[in-house]
Amino acid sequence: MAFEKEKFWEDVKAAETIGIAGHIRPDGDCVGSTLGLYCYIRDNFGKEPEVFLEEVPKAFEFIEGADRVVTGYPNREPMDLFIALDCGDEGRLGKAMEYAKSAKKAYCIDHHATSSGFMENNLVIPDSAATAQILYTLFEDDKIGKGAAEALYLGIVHDTGVFKHSCTTRETMEIAGALLDHGVSSSRIIDGTFYEKTYLQNQILGRCLMESILCLDGKVIFSSIDRKIINLYGLGPADTEGIIDQLRVTKGVEVAILIRELTPRSWRVSMRSCEIVDVSKICAMFGGGGHVRAAGATMSGSRRDVINNLTTEIEKQLEAWKKDRAED
Ligand code: 5GP
Ligand code: MN
């Protein structure tokens, strides 16, 4: 069904019970958009939606409403309204999918290129830098409180890599500027949640860079973190955030790959590209998805299988690109 803004707010107004959830392994945009919507509804409709997330990463705990997030996906009576944010398919929503299935009304608001339109009502804008950016366009500026503003700013900062990824547009900057007028402390959010690293994060970053390998004539860089290292350092998912971005800025590199072993022979894949390769297409081929320049998947096999499978697809895209250029 097509998304209608007025209808969406009517449904919010009419609902007695509202659930909001984001994707598994929540990142800045996931936490920022769910808590941004939570604060906005609380402040303007006088009701308390429940926010369901797998966890709230430590660095985001100061965002308003973070202390009210429900983890563990407990059983709930069917809700009047359920809203999935920053999440394009059932698998990414995880156990929160049960709430979506039983809810009287269900919406999805998302910006992933591979978003499948899996809810009753879907608002998917792949050109939008962040789900938080889409939410801003649904909100009335003068009804945004400081809590909602900080949450949306967090989402935009993280999904744009602090306004540097190619998804950053004039609209992104204008929205971020408008959010600053609501009292957001940009340095607290940018330094405190994006650049600041724990000692452990820096150690593992150093290790990944040192052990990284270049292939396809220096166009691809990859690094891997296996179970032995994860156990040795006691690494959680948040401890490896940002490593992929440092790999990507290696001179001459078009695609960066970081793989992390989840269980024996099962790998969490992160991919980033610079200008040519559509990594969302490659990740979608292996059951994942994401954006043209940033995507992920879970793949099985040996480290060598996973890297070979990915580099084969990258090579195909690079060859096709070269051929296109030669014909022009
Ligand atoms: P990351 O590498 O930071 O985990 O993910 C990069 C982007 O791809 C994010 O926008 C994330 O939401 C998306 N993404 C990561 N893993 C998956 C996946 O398994 N499936 C889908 N559909 N999207 C993913
Ligand atoms: Mn996002």
Side-chain angles (χ1 to χ4, degrees), residues 17 22 32-33 40 70 76 102 110 115 129 131 144 170 177 181-182 190 209 217 234 261 295 298 314 318:
T17 49
S33 53
Y40 188 83
V70 179
R76 284 286 183 273
S102 63
D110 185 29
S115 215
T131 300
I144 297 176
R170 179 188 182 125
D181 284 347
H182 291 285
I190 293 173
L209 297 178
D217 287 335
E261 198 174 18
T298 302
I314 294 169
L318 289 174

Side-chain angles (χ1 to χ4, degrees), residues 97-130:
M97 194 59 209
E98 294 306 315
Y99 305 136
K101 282 183 183 155
S102 63
K104 290 189 192 135
K105 294 203 164 133
Y107 281 86
C108 163
I109 301 173
D110 185 29
H111 71 130
H112 288 94
T114 49
S115 215
S116 62
F118 69 124
M119 288 285 156
E120 181 192 357
N121 300 278
N122 301 281
L123 174 61
V124 179
I125 308 179
D127 288 339
S128 201

Side-chain angles (χ1 to χ4, degrees), residues 47-308:
K47 42 185 102 180
E48 277 285 317
E50 276 196 295
V51 179
F52 301 96
L53 293 174
E54 206 171 43
E55 55 162 341
V56 179
K58 265 218 147 350
F60 307 150
E61 278 175 351
F62 72 94
I63 296 291
E64 218 171 285
D67 56 336
R68 305 194 56 92
V69 167
V70 179
T71 55
Y73 303 106
N75 289 333
R76 284 286 183 273
E77 291 293 308
M79 298 163 201
D80 293 336
L81 176 63
F82 176 81
I83 308 159
L85 296 177
D86 199 36
C87 179
D89 60 58
E90 267 192 41
R92 291 280 288 163
L93 193 53
K95 294 202 178 103
M97 194 59 209
E98 294 306 315
Y99 305 136
K101 282 183 183 155
S102 63
K104 290 189 192 135
K105 294 203 164 133
Y107 281 86
C108 163
I109 301 173
D110 185 29
H111 71 130
H112 288 94
T114 49
S115 215
S116 62
F118 69 124
M119 288 285 156
E120 181 192 357
N121 300 278
N122 301 281
L123 174 61
V124 179
I125 308 179
D127 288 339
S128 201
T131 300
Q133 178 176 326
I134 304 175
L135 286 178
Y136 179 87
T137 67
L138 301 179
F139 294 178
E140 282 179 47
D141 183 78
D142 59 353
K143 292 186 177 165
I144 297 176
K146 188 176 172 197
E150 281 193 328
L152 295 188
Y153 195 84
L154 174 82
I156 294 172
V157 159
H158 278 257
D159 265 18
T160 58
V162 192
F163 309 108
K164 76 175 180 300
H165 296 332
S166 58
C167 56
T168 311
T169 59
R170 179 188 182 125
E171 189 190 8
T172 313
M173 302 299 260
E174 283 174 355
I175 289 173
L179 292 172
L180 290 183
D181 284 347
H182 291 285
V184 171
S185 163
S186 62
S187 59
R188 180 173 185 206
I189 290 180
I190 293 173
D191 281 340
T193 71
F194 193 88
Y195 288 114
E196 190 178 272
K197 300 284 175 210
T198 61
Y199 178 63
L200 180 64
Q201 283 174 319
N202 273 335
Q203 273 193 314
I204 198 69
L205 166 68
R207 216 184 150 111
C208 284
L209 297 178
M210 208 162 68
E211 292 177 351
S212 63
I213 292 175
L214 284 173
C215 60
L216 294 188
D217 287 335
K219 287 269 173 289
V220 174
I221 191 165
F222 72 85
S223 202
S224 61
I225 308 170
D226 61 21
R227 293 298 313 161
K228 228 174 42 213
I229 297 299
I230 291 171
N231 294 335
L232 177 69
Y233 289 89
L235 297 177
D239 294 321
T240 53
E241 284 270 316
I243 296 176
I244 186 77
D245 301 306
Q246 192 57 44
L247 288 168
R248 185 188 68 89
V249 293
T250 309
K251 196 168 170 61
V253 158
E254 166 59 20
V255 181
I257 306 170
L258 179 68
I259 63 170
R260 202 159 32 86
E261 198 174 18
L262 296 173
T263 52
R265 295 177 65 83
S266 169
W267 300 84
R268 182 75 212 139
V269 175
S270 272
M271 290 180 83
R272 300 289 184 271
S273 66
C274 293
E275 290 179 329
I276 304 163
V277 174
D278 181 342
V279 288
S280 77
K281 253 192 203 155
I282 299 176
C283 286
M285 290 174 70
F286 298 104
H291 312 286
V292 176
R293 303 272 166 259
T298 302
M299 290 172 66
S300 51
S302 67
R303 175 198 331 241
R304 180 191 290 233
D305 292 339
V306 170
I307 296 297
N308 278 346

Side-chain angles (χ1 to χ4, degrees), residues 24-44:
I24 52 172
R25 291 181 288 271
D27 58 11
D29 189 30
C30 174
V31 174
S33 53
T34 51
L35 291 179
L37 182 59
Y38 160 81
C39 288
Y40 188 83
I41 293 177
R42 182 199 61 191
D43 295 349
N44 295 291

